[in-house]
Amino acid sequence: MYKLKATPLDIDGSFVFDWSPVVDERGLFSRLFCERELRDQCGIVRPFVQGNYSTNTMRGTLRGLHFLAAPKLEGKLVRCLRGEVQDIFVDLRLNSPTRLQYVNITLSAQNGKMIYVPPGCAHGYLTLSQEADVFYLVQEHYEKEFDRALAWNDPDLNLPWTRFDEYQLSERDRLAPEFSKFEVSDFLEI
């Protein structure tokens, strides 16, 4: 009845979850997270240690591409709770058969989709609605020394971001280096 349905995505170890809300005269009820379903359907056993919430008040806000450098293992469960975002993540893992490939998916309050971004991927999203709230659970505690940002517009990655006349970016994301500028030691081996 409340079960999350997992479907593998093109990057090894990544999934999209579809919701099955129960709707009645009061509104709806839906499961956002279930450790047992993640384990049984996807083999995800590493616990989630932190929950993060982001609110965005301008269409065209781009956050990312962010990742934690090796040896940190930051997998993420990401869901848009209000509005709509274009979510993109890129596989940066050494020896991965999908290295430097990406997933591009729309997450919205309306479609209720949630994704699992495996450790070793750079993740970001672009707000497609005027207001968008994003909630995500992570599998690693934040440590500033391992925090990295990858250029969202790296020409070698050629990511298909929705076009806006202007993007709202933090200084960190505006100045993030291209993939070729990183050290191999920043990336996880699989």
Side-chain angles (χ1 to χ4, degrees):
M1 170 148 116
Y2 303 118
K3 192 171 178 102
L4 296 170
K5 180 181 178 267
T7 304
L9 293 169
D10 291 339
I11 290 179
D12 187 43
S14 68
F15 297 88
V16 61
F17 299 90
D18 289 300
W19 70 341
S20 55
V22 175
V23 180
D24 64 22
E25 64 280 353
R26 300 168 297 171
L28 68 81
F29 178 87
S30 174
R31 181 170 289 165
L32 292 177
F33 168 80
C34 178
E35 174 271 332
R36 184 178 345 167
E37 290 174 6
L38 292 177
R39 181 193 64 226
D40 294 350
Q41 292 186 54
C42 310
I44 299 170
V45 295
R46 196 153 180 271
F48 292 87
V49 298
Q50 186 174 303
N52 300 319
Y53 177 79
S54 169
T55 184
N56 303 275
T57 58
M58 291 182 281
R59 188 170 183 258
T61 297
L62 199 149
R63 294 181 184 257
L65 299 159
H66 303 153
F67 67 101
L68 290 183
K72 297 298 176 184
L73 300 171
E74 184 183 45
K76 296 178 181 178
L77 276 175
V78 183
R79 186 165 180 184
C80 181
L81 299 176
R82 181 172 63 139
E84 182 177 47
V85 299
Q86 177 187 15
D87 194 287
I88 293 181
F89 59 96
V90 180
D91 188 350
L92 302 179
R93 299 170 293 183
L94 299 172
N95 308 320
S96 171
T98 56
R99 188 160 199 242
L100 300 183
Q101 292 179 26
Y102 62 85
V103 167
N104 175 20
I105 189 167
T106 299
L107 304 177
S108 70
Q110 186 171 3
N111 72 22
K113 292 184 183 302
M114 178 173 65
I115 56 171
Y116 177 69
V117 180
C121 292
H123 171 257
Y125 66 85
L126 173 65
T127 60
L128 302 176
S129 56
Q130 184 63 30
E131 295 180 335
D133 294 350
V134 178
F135 176 75
Y136 52 103
L137 297 173
V138 296
Q139 294 174 302
E140 184 67 64
H141 293 283
Y142 177 80
E143 292 185 42
K144 187 177 175 110
E145 68 182 282
F146 295 99
D147 191 19
R148 304 286 187 274
L150 172 64
W152 65 277
N153 57 352
D154 186 326
D156 291 334
L157 298 176
N158 195 29
L159 300 175
W161 295 107
T162 299
R163 297 221 183 265
F164 285 97
D165 291 336
E166 185 179 342
Y167 295 95
Q168 306 301 318
L169 296 158
S170 69
E171 182 176 355
R172 171 190 183 206
D173 291 338
R174 209 174 15 261
L175 301 175
E178 295 175 0
F179 177 77
S180 62
K181 305 291 188 217
F182 284 92
E183 300 292 325
V184 171
S185 60
D186 283 330
F187 305 116
L188 291 174
E189 258 187 88
I190 61 166

